[in-house]
Amino acid sequence: LGGAGFEMRQALRPAAQTARPVAQTARPLALRRRLSTLHGGADALRKPYPPSHVLTLGEINPNVLSAQYAVRGELVQRAAAIKEEMAAGSANVPFKKVLECNIGNPQAVGQSPIGFNRQVLSLMVCPALLDQPGVDALFAPDAIARAKEYLAAIPSGVGAYSDSQGFRIVREQVADFISSRDGLPASPEDIFLTDGASKGVGFLLSLILRGGGSDGLLVPIPQYPLYSATLALQETHMLGYELDEAAGWSLPISLLEAELEDAQAKGVATRALVVINPGNPTGNSLPYDNMVECIDFCAKHGLVLMADEVYQENIWDGGRPFHSFKKVLMEMSPRPNLQLVSFHSTSKGFLGECGLRGGYFEIVGFDPEVKAQLLKLISIGLCSNTLGQIATGLMVQPPRPGDASYEIYSGERDAILASMKRRATMLVDGLNALEGVTCNQPQGAMYAFPSITLPPKAIAAAKDAGKVPDTFYALALLEATGIVVVPGSGFGQKEGTWHFRTTFLPPESEMTDVVDRMTAFHADFMGKYA
């Protein structure tokens, strides 16, 4: 009732509280009489509201029910419950700590953030620190200079919305990074800053896929569940092409052709090809020639190539260096006509800034009118978070030789990457020593994806428990050791095979314990179901 609400409350008070001159009480009395008439008398004002209707599962979007995201699925929920029980002192478990090896979240398992980046972010969040006495003693001079550079370009600071495409200064830094990495020009007009790479993937899929259940997307098997979940939400066919585990998770182009032909026969319009390089969960790194084949395939069939390149800093096999799809495309002669989208993120590499949600994508070969529609789509959400945008700028433009922070920064970077490589080797060697387990050495990324040959009795027990066999194994591993992994069935796998994905991110000092726990558990499990 707006301002009349006060008058109505006054009118409904006891007479002793509302005794006033007639001139002052006439209007509230008239209002009270009018409301009483409209609502069926004074009693009607006191009638309770009818019971509210509550949404049921049968009434929500059915695509939400069908979407699955294994990385945060049943295993993680059980692990969270165990941690709550341990905190309350009520847990009856044979371990003192839950080790979360289910997700590439480095700082959650003990990795320290890079000092230079956090100094700049601190000054961006609280610019008044720049004017405080002694600031030079707390912050490195190049961190102060970088914060001032950003603040000069972003006078409204990080508390205001940015342009929908992202801060211009950061997009220029991303373009410079790409140009330096590939030896080729890049334009800030083709770069979009996003809340991590995942949000960018969502935008592109929303743009490309037309709904109605007739479109399809070629996705690697195993795949990162972001893709299968997003496709379920959009009622799109996931056209899985199986990577060849026996050949180091290679990508046979013949399988792409077969999958595309099968989709066409079923009336499915294939719209794009997703390639994750380096691979998640497989840890493979594509050779140059295989990337050329992927580009030719997409150009031949008019498909958008979506290159998920968030692990480009995580390369463990010197014989398989990272090449961006953009670089490979631009070096081809004659150059194919291709629509390419490349994604990158602050969450991976050696930064591990998952919670800051920083990332970008670059588009190549898109029609200007389609690009305008993409910007419109992104602008519906106004902009990505501004601290994530700054974190992206810091990722692509780190301290350089001669800068005050360079020695410390490069030392932190090199130590993290060298430790990751040692941990990867330690974990995979331990897995390959287990009965019935084989695991390719990771060429990149943050994961191992071992294959497990489970005894028939274990498979039967899983069926009796209503579980997929690798989920049954992973739950038993969690209950016995506190180690959280993700069943391979959550990523997709060749029929008749079982896997799990584990990171090698726990601190190096704990990796021996991780391997020892897995070894003891696996021996007991295999003996129990022999």
Side-chain angles (χ1 to χ4, degrees):
L1 295 173
F6 172 77
E7 295 177 324
M8 185 177 75
R9 289 193 298 272
Q10 291 294 101
L12 295 177
R13 286 182 180 179
Q17 297 180 27
T18 57
R20 291 180 181 176
V22 173
Q24 294 182 16
T25 59
R27 185 179 176 186
L29 180 60
L31 176 63
R32 182 175 60 182
R33 288 173 175 168
R34 184 174 62 176
L35 288 173
S36 179
T37 300
L38 288 173
H39 295 286
D43 289 342
L45 291 176
R46 292 189 293 272
K47 286 183 179 179
Y49 289 107
S52 298
H53 176 71
V54 178
L55 281 174
T56 66
L57 288 181
E59 296 173 314
I60 68 171
N61 184 342
N63 298 330
V64 175
L65 291 174
S66 64
Q68 300 294 326
Y69 189 67
V71 173
R72 291 284 178 96
E74 180 181 4
L75 268 293
V76 176
Q77 294 168 15
R78 176 57 188 146
I82 291 173
K83 287 197 290 185
E84 289 182 2
E85 292 167 7
M86 293 175 75
S90 60
N92 183 21
V93 292
F95 48 84
K96 296 181 179 179
K97 181 180 180 181
V98 172
L99 289 171
E100 295 170 310
C101 298
N102 60 294
I103 192 168
N105 193 12
Q107 293 184 30
V109 289
Q111 180 178 307
S112 297
I114 298 293
F116 173 82
N117 294 17
R118 287 304 181 91
Q119 288 186 41
V120 177
L121 288 167
S122 297
L123 293 168
M124 293 300 297
V125 171
C126 189
L129 290 173
L130 291 166
D131 301 321
Q132 295 301 309
V135 65
D136 295 338
L138 294 174
F139 297 91
D142 51 345
I144 293 174
R146 178 67 69 85
K148 288 181 176 179
E149 178 187 11
Y150 281 139
L151 290 167
I154 311 166
S156 55
V158 295
Y161 293 128
S162 73
D163 294 339
S164 294
Q165 201 166 336
F167 291 131
R168 174 82 188 191
I169 184 174
V170 176
R171 290 189 287 117
E172 289 173 347
Q173 290 173 340
V174 172
D176 290 344
F177 162 77
I178 294 171
S179 298
S180 176
R181 182 195 66 191
D182 296 340
L184 300 161
S187 169
E189 303 305 325
D190 296 328
I191 292 159
F192 297 76
L193 304 182
T194 54
D195 289 321
S198 299
K199 197 70 172 181
V201 169
F203 284 136
L204 265 297
L205 292 180
S206 294
L207 179 77
I208 294 169
L209 303 174
R210 297 167 296 185
S214 61
D215 282 351
L217 187 76
L218 284 163
V219 178
I221 298 297
Q223 53 94 31
Y224 180 49
L226 163 70
Y227 295 97
S228 55
T230 304
L231 296 183
L233 290 173
Q234 299 197 14
E235 293 186 279
T236 298
H237 297 273
M238 190 177 89
L239 310 174
Y241 61 92
E242 290 182 353
L243 302 177
D244 187 349
E245 183 172 10
W249 297 111
S250 64
L251 195 168
I253 298 300
S254 59
L255 289 182
L256 293 179
E257 293 284 1
E259 193 64 40
L260 181 66
E261 184 177 338
D262 183 61
Q264 289 172 338
K266 295 175 180 176
V268 175
T270 305
R271 305 286 290 163
L273 167 68
V274 172
V275 180
I276 307 174
N277 184 46
N280 175 11
T282 56
N284 64 312
S285 183
L286 292 180
Y288 190 98
D289 291 346
N290 202 181
M291 298 174 72
V292 170
E293 292 176 323
C294 291
I295 290 171
D296 279 336
F297 170 79
C298 288
K300 172 184 173 182
H301 296 290
L303 305 180
V304 176
L305 176 53
M306 299 178 64
D308 186 333
E309 299 178 337
V310 302
Y311 298 100
Q312 59 189 261
E313 296 284 351
N314 303 105
I315 298 295
W316 316 124
D317 184 346
R320 286 284 180 87
F322 171 77
H323 300 287
S324 73
F325 268 99
K326 181 182 179 182
K327 176 180 172 66
V328 175
L329 169 65
M330 297 301 177
E331 290 178 347
M332 293 173 67
S333 182
R335 184 186 303 165
N337 292 321
L338 179 72
Q339 296 174 97
L340 169 68
V341 191
S342 303
F343 303 91
H344 198 10
S345 169
T346 64
S347 300
K348 311 307 178 186
F350 57 90
L351 297 182
E353 292 285 15
C354 302
L356 291 180
R357 309 309 299 136
Y360 72 82
F361 64 84
E362 180 190 26
I363 59 174
V364 175
F366 276 63
D367 183 284
E369 292 184 348
V370 173
K371 179 180 172 181
Q373 293 302 308
L374 175 60
L375 181 58
K376 179 184 74 175
L377 174 65
I378 292 171
S379 68
I380 293 172
L382 297 175
C383 68
S384 60
N385 87 87
T386 55
L387 285 181
Q389 293 186 42
I390 298 299
T392 301
L394 295 169
M395 174 181 72
V396 299
Q397 194 177 98
R400 297 178 175 135
D403 291 348
S405 297
Y406 176 75
E407 294 299 329
I408 294 176
Y409 182 95
S410 60
E412 292 173 329
R413 175 198 64 205
D414 295 347
I416 291 170
L417 292 174
S419 176
M420 279 189 188
K421 185 174 182 179
R422 290 193 298 270
R423 283 176 275 170
T425 301
M426 187 185 310
L427 177 62
V428 173
D429 286 350
L431 290 170
N432 280 324
L434 303 181
E435 177 190 354
V437 175
T438 59
C439 187
N440 289 314
Q441 283 288 347
Q443 298 163 337
M446 297 176 169
Y447 314 101
F449 196 64
S451 173
I452 327 166
T453 301
L454 294 173
K457 287 185 179 179
I459 295 174
K463 183 178 180 180
D464 290 343
K467 304 292 183 185
V468 178
D470 52 13
T471 300
F472 181 76
Y473 178 93
L475 282 167
L477 174 67
L478 170 61
E479 298 290 349
T481 68
I483 297 172
V484 191
V485 298
V486 186
S489 50
F491 300 90
Q493 54 199 342
K494 187 175 181 178
E495 188 174 353
T497 67
W498 310 110
H499 299 77
F500 65 84
R501 189 191 78 168
T502 176
T503 71
F504 38 82
L505 294 177
E508 197 165 352
S509 60
E510 297 181 9
M511 283 307 298
T512 299
D513 182 49
V514 170
V515 173
D516 288 346
R517 288 197 214 180
M518 283 186 170
T519 300
F521 161 78
H522 188 78
D524 289 345
F525 184 91
M526 298 298 280
K528 179 178 180 180
Y529 295 104

